[in-house]
Amino acid sequence: MTLAVFFGCTFIAFGPAFGLFIFTIARDPLRIIILIAGAFFWLVSLLLSSLIWFIAVKASDPQDERLQKGLLIFGVMFSVLLQEAFRFLYYKLLRKAIEGLVALSEDGCSPISIQQMAYVAGVGFGLMSGAFSMINLLADALGPGTVGIHGDSQLYFLTSAFMTMVLIFLHTFWGILFFHGCEHRRWWEIAAVVIMHLTVSGLSFCNPLYVGSLVPSYLLMAAAAAWAYLLSGGSAQNLRRFLLCKCCSRKGVGDTLGLVGYQDCCWDGERLSQWLKQEHHPLVSQTRGAGDFLRPWSGCYLSLEK
Amino acid sequence: MITFMNNSDSEEEPCNERTSLMSAESPPVPSYQDGLQASAAGEAQAHRRRAGSNRGPNNIAGGEMSGSGIPVRESALENEEEELTLKYGAKHVIMLFVPVTLCMIVVVATIKSVRFYTEKNGQLIYTPFSEDTPSVGQRLLNSVLNTIVMISVIIVMTVFLVLLYKYRCYKFIHGWLILSSLMLLFLFTYIYLGEVLKTYNVAMDYPTLFIVIWNFGAVGMICIHWKGPLQLQQAYLIMISALMALVFIKYLPEWSAWVILGAISIYDLMAVLCPKGPLRMLVETAQERNEPIFPALIYSSAMMWTVGMAKPDTAARGPSQQTWDAAEDGREHLRSPSHAESQMSETRSPVPTHPITSLEELEEEERGVKLGLGDFIFYSVLVGKAAATASGDWNTTLACFVAILIGLCLTLLLLAVFKKALPALPISITFGLIFYFSTDNLVRPFMDTLASHQLYI
């Protein structure tokens, strides 16, 4: 176990999450606070579930292997359910916070929308979950030793890192799905999140048969990603426009908005969204603020005549 | 909230770090939308708003119902100011999260790598009872007695400091603080550097060491006690807090450390909130006299002038740019992003010729939140002890870290609500202690079992 393993596993497990943090969360203080509070809620759920498991183990016979295994399975499932329960509690708390922010703001719009909060909460849960799974392993990876010398799998560190990464992503998407389900009272979305979480945790019982646990988890992650993307207002068209953003004609961008008389200069998202609101542009009703919607096109220049 | 800390320095002088969280008594900032005509009305609003209470939704309702333009604008301005307070609240929380996190990172990194700070090498005279007793009851009793001694010493020193301040013995206080920071910046840094070099087996000759420590210490003294770039001052305050925390971690025995942490949060609560509490009297006296509390004791998240405030133009021109920059940073989220900032930086250049009054006004607005150095020290002691004694487990350290940050967040929320000096230790230390003991005893076996089977929850 060398520095290479340490750095490799760290970046595999936490690289995407830190990228998400730096590019989407780090700039806004409110989002950082929501992230840390999300991590705190996950921690409390873990604490309670460990308490239950600990009591159960202490009350049982330590020699009975099957019982201990059964208690472990029970512990894992109970922990998953408790995590989702705390996600719901966190949703309630954020809803109250949004009402407070709306009441305080000047135009009845809170500075952060529930969808953004859902995303940040998901990342908070994911980061804390990943950190708790991975940090001790990483610390051990720096020290001396041989992986799998007693006959266990030699890919332990690598697969742990990949599993951590997929779990962080999954928590992010589950956050979005869960909050969307709570917002629009679609209980089947919430149930789907719980079932997915139970499935992923249950699949990890297949370890060290990594094909059984990693591959389905990644497939589930892809499905959850697509679903969350669609729920957040994405579509295939949006994706194509975003990917082709650099080559799109400036005229084309203005045309989609129905703006006339634009010229090449730096556009101002805030003023644009206010102007769109004034003009009762249909875009505003769809999105929380046109500024967010237009951000992918920030490379393109357009402005209003007014 | 007031954060206050009595700087304690060496082992000869008793250490009392008392802290509470302080909010700046700054008037709410008028909004800067589309020209500055709101600024004058905004200041009138500020006084009215401070007199009144938070009316929340009523403001919006009142604004919509009134027909005339001015009440609408007034209530809108009030809402803006409240929103600004909240936005400043979130920003201030982050302005405190970053230094607290940095201090903890330095302490944890040192504890995990330098063996010196985890070796038992005697105790301070403030914890005279030894914990090397065979029975659990005796050990518990000794730790409680140690705590009583330590807290009494802290109380005595705090009361002494408050009396000195009340009777205007500024020279004595300044001398005491200068001695403390001298000790911290030179002696403790020398020991720290020596141990780090020993750990990594790096050779350094005495002349180089002398030059390095001399420069570090001299610049530190100037930055902390006189004037210096804000960030450098903040960095030095973080470093001396970390050094102090490391001393505590090394010399406080195990159980005594935890009991002392608990007792000190209770003491902090009482010292800041009780009407005759020493810290409350200190802060109130400082506010009466309209003086800032000594810069060596408090970490400030924004530009803070020393006791002599309004300096003449030439002297003020240097830092004025920084104040304006701080003000600009504070307001950047009010403006539209990107291109407006380039406009602002152009308009900033004629700023230094502005009259003094607007400069003072701007200083007041950007004072930010202050946190006492003792808060830093005790947060770092908690996290450092968790890192040192939690069976080599990083989960416990991480859990304590998150708990402390959440406690700080809640404390700042209470600050935004109550707008007066509040203790910063109780909530964070309580959360930290709960999470330390529960993570170490409950979560660790669970996570270890999961990791050994490679299960994921």
Side-chain angles (χ1 to χ4, degrees), chain B residues 106-336:
Chain B
V106 169
V107 169
V108 169
T110 309
I111 292 277
K112 287 286 188 186
S113 53
V114 179
R115 288 277 152 257
F116 173 74
Y117 287 104
T118 41
E119 290 163 2
K120 281 297 302 174
N121 226 349
Q123 293 179 201
L124 297 172
I125 56 167
Y126 312 115
T127 51
F129 298 93
S130 158
E131 282 194 11
D132 279 331
T133 53
S135 77
V136 171
Q138 183 71 20
R139 188 171 186 186
L140 195 60
L141 182 67
N142 280 352
S143 49
V144 172
L145 290 173
N146 278 337
T147 308
I148 293 176
V149 171
M150 185 81 159
I151 300 284
S152 330
V153 166
I154 289 181
I155 293 178
V156 163
M157 298 314 299
T158 313
V159 167
F160 184 50
L161 182 75
V162 172
L163 283 175
L164 285 176
Y165 189 67
K166 239 180 151 49
Y167 293 113
R168 298 180 189 264
C169 310
Y170 290 134
K171 287 215 172 358
F172 193 98
I173 297 180
H174 281 307
W176 183 7
L177 290 178
I178 286 179
L179 266 179
S180 321
S181 20
L182 264 176
M183 193 74 68
L184 270 171
L185 282 171
F186 287 100
L187 180 65
F188 286 3
T189 310
Y190 168 70
I191 296 175
Y192 179 79
L193 196 58
E195 291 306 320
V196 168
L197 291 175
K198 262 189 236 173
T199 306
Y200 291 106
N201 206 14
V202 173
M204 186 183 264
D205 52 312
Y206 275 113
T208 312
L209 188 73
F210 174 73
I211 292 177
V212 166
I213 300 238
W214 169 251
N215 279 320
F216 180 82
V219 175
M221 290 300 291
I222 293 175
C223 274
I224 295 174
H225 291 283
W226 192 49
K227 295 192 185 97
L230 178 69
Q231 295 193 319
L232 197 59
Q233 184 189 28
Q234 292 173 337
Y236 269 106
L237 289 174
I238 293 174
M239 281 192 267
I240 63 176
S241 309
L243 284 173
M244 200 64 229
L246 285 169
V247 166
F248 273 140
I249 293 173
K250 180 171 172 64
Y251 287 111
L252 285 180
E254 299 278 336
W255 291 20
S256 306
W258 298 113
V259 184
I260 284 177
L261 277 172
I264 252 187
S265 9
I266 299 175
Y267 166 69
D268 196 23
L269 195 65
M270 297 200 312
V272 175
L273 293 181
C274 290
K276 281 300 172 192
L279 292 184
R280 181 166 172 161
M281 281 175 28
L282 183 73
V283 171
E284 280 174 359
T285 319
Q287 283 175 348
E288 266 170 49
R289 298 182 193 168
N290 217 6
E291 290 165 358
I293 302 191
F294 319 100
L297 299 181
I298 293 215
Y299 175 97
S300 166
S301 58
M303 189 72 181
M304 186 60 193
W305 292 95
T306 48
V307 178
M309 265 240 186
K311 300 259 189 281
D313 281 82
T314 48
R317 202 155 304 178
S320 71
Q321 200 65 35
Q322 286 169 350
T323 324
W324 279 102
D325 290 341
E328 186 189 328
D329 288 344
R331 282 180 204 108
E332 60 182 310
H333 56 261
L334 289 179
R335 315 193 200 295
S336 356

Side-chain angles (χ1 to χ4, degrees), chain A:
Chain A
M1 294 184 290
T2 59
L3 267 186
V5 169
F6 170 75
F7 279 113
C9 289
T10 308
F11 290 136
I12 289 175
F14 295 113
F18 279 144
L20 285 176
F21 174 76
I22 288 173
F23 289 113
T24 57
I25 299 177
R27 293 198 182 253
D28 189 4
L30 209 48
R31 292 185 196 179
I32 299 182
I33 296 175
I34 295 175
L35 180 90
I36 302 213
F40 180 72
F41 270 74
W42 186 89
L43 198 59
V44 175
S45 82
L46 177 69
L47 203 80
L48 290 176
S49 49
S50 318
L51 178 67
I52 304 288
W53 177 82
F54 189 78
I55 293 176
V57 162
K58 285 299 177 201
S60 68
D61 177 19
Q63 306 300 330
D64 191 351
E65 291 286 338
R66 287 208 49 163
L67 182 61
Q68 296 300 318
K69 183 88 178 169
L71 279 179
L72 195 59
I73 297 177
F74 162 72
V76 168
M77 297 301 149
F78 184 72
S79 176
V80 168
L81 293 173
L82 210 55
Q83 282 178 44
E84 298 305 325
F86 269 82
R87 208 194 293 271
F88 181 71
L89 284 176
Y90 195 38
Y91 164 75
K92 284 279 178 221
L93 182 71
L94 287 178
R95 251 268 133 271
K96 286 228 166 54
I98 277 206
E99 284 165 21
L101 288 172
V102 165
L104 284 178
S105 79
E106 62 189 23
D107 56 355
C109 255
S110 101
I112 187 170
S113 69
I114 191 75
Q115 289 92 344
Q116 293 168 352
M117 281 183 169
Y119 160 72
V120 176
V123 176
F125 268 59
L127 269 178
M128 204 58 183
S129 159
F132 261 65
S133 315
M134 200 63 196
I135 290 245
N136 278 334
L137 257 75
L138 290 175
D140 286 337
L142 274 176
T146 307
V147 189
I149 198 170
H150 289 296
D152 301 306
S153 163
Q154 289 185 4
L155 298 173
Y156 185 80
F157 284 136
L158 214 53
T159 49
S160 296
F162 277 109
M163 195 68 198
T164 306
M165 173 172 81
V166 81
L167 213 50
I168 296 180
F169 274 135
L170 276 171
H171 270 290
T172 311
F173 301 134
W174 286 335
I176 300 174
L177 293 172
F178 196 94
F179 279 42
H180 187 266
C182 291
E183 273 289 291
H184 299 245
R185 302 270 182 274
R186 295 196 197 160
W187 306 116
W188 52 276
E189 280 179 14
I190 300 176
V193 167
V194 176
I195 291 176
M196 264 198 273
H197 197 168
L198 284 170
T199 312
V200 170
S201 288
L203 283 173
S204 66
F205 280 92
C206 291
N207 288 332
L209 184 65
Y210 297 119
V211 171
S213 70
L214 274 181
V215 174
S217 303
Y218 273 88
L219 292 174
L220 271 175
M221 180 195 85
W227 193 3
Y229 181 67
L230 289 171
L231 282 183
S232 305
S235 66
Q237 251 186 336
N238 283 352
L239 194 58
R240 204 168 28 145
R241 269 196 218 121
F242 170 70
L243 289 173
L244 298 176
C245 151
K246 296 292 184 232
C247 332
C248 77
S249 73
R250 296 162 182 193
K251 247 178 134 40
V253 171
D255 282 344
T256 47
L257 288 175
L259 299 170
V260 289
Y262 44 80
Q263 53 222 2
D264 283 353
C265 77
C266 232
W267 62 272
D268 170 357
E270 287 300 324
R271 279 180 52 219
L272 184 58
S273 70
Q274 282 175 15
W275 179 81
L276 287 173
K277 240 177 266 184
Q278 249 176 288
E279 304 289 302
H280 302 290
H281 198 278
L283 236 105
V284 179
S285 57
Q286 286 178 30
T287 63
R288 215 39 172 120
D292 284 338
F293 181 74
L294 292 168
R295 202 158 290 134
W297 287 307
S298 56
C300 309
Y301 285 30
L302 62 96
S303 95
L304 315 167
E305 272 210 300
K306 311 196 178 175

